[in-house]
């Protein structure tokens, strides 16, 4: 005989029929505390009919399972267990039937009954095993239903969020189109009068130079120069705005071809300045857009040639030996003090006046924005008088 403390007590509500010809009470009695071969005890609460059983539950009696006796001669049949199932959705129900009617058993299980046991062959081990399994199946079923409800709520939230995101994306797309139109119109409308002012200043100097003194001529030329610089700034702003808005996804690009194209574009300036651009070793293929990568390389070459007082300006481009995805652009220019290494990337931030070095101060800003749009990084190493090396990863 097993240890009494090891036996599990199951609280059962037995709903019998008053005129049931084969009550299972005797079987349950054999599973009472003094009989523990099954390892299961039953603490049985008996009701003589369905209404009495529901009243007992309403009064606060706590049970783990309901055993519902059904006789074939009774008219209540399926309607009764359907009523019981609706009234106690939180408890497992086992029907103890007079017969093993397969069709009726399958119908009962479809309607939420945990098991259908014919009373004729019922033993204490069968009953104990059926009750334990019914309770466990019902517990798992409740957990699954709870998880399904949580998943359905999560799916509903996801659908709402997806709908909100689609609506916001649509609004953003419309806003971007409006912004594109505005930028184009604004840049065109701003550039047009600047070109007119510049042209009139140049014509005025040309036609009235003999009537103006040197100061007047210089001032008109200064106005024309300022108009030209402002026009270039507007163009740089437009370029800065368009960075990262390429319509096609990145694709493999041979950096050697990009560099060769940029060197060819700079050839007149290189010849005029006696300058050179040297490519050291092979350059990698990277994911990107030829136009954007060309802007990176072109701006860094221009930077190395522009801020350079050497009689023979030199620019060297190569890949870092132990980091093939990182390229460098090195020059022999004037260099940059360490405290200005971050400032040079600011939009229209210039460390020198326009009379000393021409330009708008937007080139490095555009370069960094392009690099960041590809989830990359750009940094530099430089000291005054010792040139500058830009690294792009």
């Amino acid at each position: 005989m097993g240890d009494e403390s090891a036996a599990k007590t199951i609280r059962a509500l037995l709903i019998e029929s008053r005129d049931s010809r084969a009550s299972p009470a005797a079987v349950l009695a054999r599973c009472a505390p003094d009989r523990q071969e099954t390892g299961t005890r039953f603490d049985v609460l008996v009701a003589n009919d369905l209404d009495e059983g529901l009243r007992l539950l309403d009064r606060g009696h706590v049970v783990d399972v309901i055993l519902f006796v059904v006789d074939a001669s009774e008219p209540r049949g399926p309607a009764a267990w359907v009523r019981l199932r609706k009234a106690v959705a939180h408890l497992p129900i086992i029907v103890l039937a007079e017969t093993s009617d397969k069709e009726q058993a399958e119908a009962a299980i479809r309607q939420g009954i945990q098991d259908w046991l014919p009373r004729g062959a019922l033993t204490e081990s069968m009953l104990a095993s059926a009750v334990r399994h019914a309770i466990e199946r019902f517990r798992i079923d409740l957990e699954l239903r709870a998880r399904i409800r949580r998943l359905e709520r999560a799916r509903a939230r996801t659908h709402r969020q997806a709908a909100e995101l689609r609506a916001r994306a649509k609004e953003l797309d419309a806003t971007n189109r409006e912004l594109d139109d505005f930028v184009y119109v604004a840049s065109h409308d701003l550039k047009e009068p600047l070109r007119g002012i510049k042209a009139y200043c140049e014509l005025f100097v040309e036609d009235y130079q003999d009537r103006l003194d040197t100061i007047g001529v210089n001032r008109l030329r200064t106005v024309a120069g300022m108009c030209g610089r402002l026009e270039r700034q507007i163009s740089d702003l437009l370029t800065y705005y368009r960075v990262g808005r390429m319509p096609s996804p990145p694709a493999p690009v041979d950096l050697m071809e990009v560099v060769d194209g940029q060197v060819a574009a700079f050839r007149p300036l290189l010849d005029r300045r006696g300058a050179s651009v040297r490519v050291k070793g092979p350059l990698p293929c990277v994911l990107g857009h030829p136009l954007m990568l060309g802007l990176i390389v072109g701006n860094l070459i221009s930077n190395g040639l522009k801020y350079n007082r050497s009689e023979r300006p030199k620019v060297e481009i190569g890949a870092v030996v132990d980091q093939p995805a990182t390229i460098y652009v090195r020059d022999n220019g004037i260099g940059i003090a360490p405290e200005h290494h971050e400032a040079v990337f600011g939009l229209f931030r210039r460390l020198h006046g326009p009379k000393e070095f021409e330009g708008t101060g937007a080139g490095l800003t555009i370069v960094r924005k392009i690099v960041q749009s590809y989830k990359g990084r750009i940094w530099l190493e430089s000291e005054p008088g010792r040139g500058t090396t830009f690294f792009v990863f």
Side-chain angles (χ1 to χ4, degrees):
M1 182 177 292
D3 183 8
E4 182 174 336
S5 63
K8 176 178 175 57
T9 299
I10 293 177
R11 296 163 298 184
L13 171 61
L14 176 64
I15 301 177
E16 291 194 287
S17 171
R18 293 183 185 276
D19 51 356
S20 176
R21 295 189 297 273
S23 170
V27 175
L28 289 170
R30 292 198 301 272
C31 296
D34 58 336
R35 296 291 302 275
Q36 298 161 35
E37 289 82 355
T38 64
T40 302
R41 303 179 187 178
F42 282 95
D43 183 3
V44 184
L45 180 66
V46 180
N48 290 318
D49 58 29
L50 177 56
D51 291 332
E52 183 181 349
L54 295 177
R55 284 194 298 272
L56 289 173
L57 293 174
D58 288 340
R59 290 173 191 155
H61 289 280
V62 178
V63 297
D64 302 307
V65 64
I66 296 176
L67 304 176
F68 188 40
V69 179
V70 175
D71 289 332
S73 60
E74 291 186 77
R76 62 181 180 170
W81 70 63
V82 170
R83 178 187 169 199
L84 178 61
R85 174 76 285 165
K86 290 181 178 178
V88 286
H90 63 290
L91 290 173
I93 301 170
I94 297 176
V95 170
L96 303 177
E98 186 176 6
T99 65
S100 57
D101 187 323
K102 183 179 179 182
E103 184 177 342
Q104 205 169 26
E106 290 177 351
I109 289 172
R110 283 196 300 270
Q111 292 163 348
I113 302 303
Q114 282 296 311
D115 210 344
W116 177 285
L117 300 177
R119 298 196 306 273
L122 195 62
T123 65
E124 62 182 280
S125 61
M126 287 174 57
L127 181 59
S129 176
V131 168
R132 286 196 302 269
H133 291 163
I135 291 173
E136 181 63 15
R137 283 197 308 270
F138 192 74
R139 181 188 65 78
I140 293 173
D141 184 64
L142 288 180
E143 290 180 358
L144 287 175
R145 290 176 184 274
R147 290 182 183 179
I148 289 171
R149 287 194 297 270
R150 289 195 296 270
L151 287 172
E152 288 176 345
R153 288 195 295 269
R155 184 174 63 178
R157 285 196 302 271
T158 302
H159 286 170
R160 288 196 302 271
Q161 291 169 352
E164 291 174 1
L165 286 174
R166 285 194 296 270
R168 291 180 182 177
K170 189 175 180 180
E171 292 175 2
L172 183 60
D173 187 55
T175 301
N176 284 336
R177 286 197 300 270
E178 292 174 1
L179 189 56
D180 285 340
D181 294 341
F182 170 77
V183 169
Y184 175 79
V185 172
S187 63
H188 179 271
D189 290 350
L190 286 172
K191 283 182 178 180
E192 202 60 35
L194 286 174
R195 293 192 186 106
I197 295 171
K198 181 182 178 183
Y200 271 106
C201 287
E202 291 171 348
L203 287 172
F204 198 88
V205 170
E206 182 180 343
D207 292 343
Y208 297 94
Q209 186 170 6
D210 56 342
R211 305 183 191 180
L212 297 173
D213 57 17
T214 303
I215 295 176
V217 171
N218 289 338
R219 285 177 176 173
L220 284 171
R221 286 175 175 166
T222 298
V223 172
M226 292 173 67
C227 289
R229 188 164 65 251
L230 186 54
E231 185 180 349
R232 291 191 296 274
Q233 284 182 328
I234 293 170
S235 297
D236 288 340
L237 274 175
L238 187 60
T239 301
Y240 180 79
Y241 166 73
R242 287 174 173 168
V243 166
R245 296 173 58 81
M246 298 299 293
S248 59
V253 177
D254 186 350
L255 277 181
M256 284 297 299
E257 293 183 4
V258 173
V259 171
D260 287 345
Q262 291 300 313
V263 172
F266 279 95
R267 179 56 56 195
L269 176 61
L270 295 175
D271 293 342
R272 188 168 63 252
R273 294 277 307 273
S276 64
V277 176
R278 173 172 172 255
V279 180
K280 186 176 181 182
L283 297 178
C285 283
V286 297
L287 287 176
H289 301 86
L291 176 61
M292 294 293 105
L293 296 175
L295 283 173
I296 293 175
V297 174
N299 273 294
L300 293 179
I301 292 176
S302 174
N303 208 70
L305 298 175
K306 183 189 305 176
Y307 299 100
N308 200 315
R309 295 192 179 101
S310 173
E311 292 183 0
R312 299 186 65 82
K314 295 179 181 180
V315 175
E316 179 181 289
I317 303 172
V320 178
V321 175
D322 56 343
Q323 300 177 46
T326 301
I327 66 166
Y328 67 85
V329 179
R330 179 178 295 125
D331 63 60
N332 63 341
I334 61 174
I336 303 169
E339 62 268 24
H340 297 310
H341 283 190
E342 178 62 26
V344 295
F345 293 105
L347 185 61
F348 299 139
R349 180 65 186 272
R350 295 174 55 88
L351 303 181
H352 308 276
K355 291 183 179 180
E356 192 174 5
F357 297 102
E358 64 178 13
T360 63
L364 291 178
T365 310
I366 293 171
V367 168
R368 182 160 72 171
K369 187 173 182 184
I370 297 172
V371 171
Q372 290 176 341
S373 74
Y374 291 127
K375 311 300 181 185
R377 189 166 69 92
I378 180 171
W379 69 98
L380 64 98
E381 293 177 359
S382 182
E383 294 180 14
R386 303 187 64 179
T388 301
T389 303
F390 286 94
F391 297 90
V392 180
F393 171 74

